[in-house]
Amino acid sequence: MNKELPHNHGGKSIQVIEQMPSLDVVEDVANVFKQLGDASRLRIFWFLCHCEECVTNIAAAMNMTSPAVSHHLRLLKSSNLIESHRHGKEMYYHATNTEIAQSLHHQIESLVKITCPDEKKL
């Protein structure tokens, strides 16, 4: 991309513009942040980073109704942050094992200084 800016301040703006991600990529990232911008979805995502659960148990853990949790799960799933599988009549949800989901999980815990549950004790 050969881009010129109206003012040349002698900086590296042109080189940065050449490396700038496309609008499509940035929109995908913005959508992920949008989903985690809701406190309930953020809590559900964090919970599902540590365990796999059904809607009923997630609702009880979050002190929410099952329909409300289902709504949040649908949005998190559409952002590829969580995935599900059926076991009998129940759907079970957990965080995806992707670089994005794992990175967000660690960033959430770092930002609010949350400690992961000790996996050995679970």
Side-chain angles (χ1 to χ4, degrees), residues 38-116:
D38 178 273
S40 294
R41 280 193 291 278
L42 187 61
R43 288 182 73 219
I44 292 168
F45 174 69
W46 182 87
F47 182 67
L48 294 176
C49 286
H50 296 281
C51 63
E52 179 177 83
E53 259 315 337
C54 67
V55 173
T56 303
N57 286 351
I58 297 168
M62 301 297 137
N63 197 26
M64 297 172 66
T65 65
S66 290
V69 166
S70 293
H71 168 74
H72 291 302
L73 291 171
R74 185 172 57 257
L75 294 171
L76 289 168
K77 193 171 180 179
S78 72
S79 295
N80 295 316
L81 293 173
I82 65 167
E83 57 192 6
S84 63
H85 70 89
R86 182 173 297 281
H87 185 73
K89 293 182 180 183
E90 295 280 353
M91 287 294 285
Y92 288 87
Y93 296 85
H94 61 274
T96 58
N97 190 19
T98 63
E99 186 177 342
I100 291 172
Q102 298 303 313
S103 178
L104 287 168
H105 167 229
H106 294 297
Q107 289 303 312
I108 292 163
E109 292 183 341
S110 175
L111 286 170
V112 294
K113 307 221 183 319
I114 299 173
T115 303
C116 289

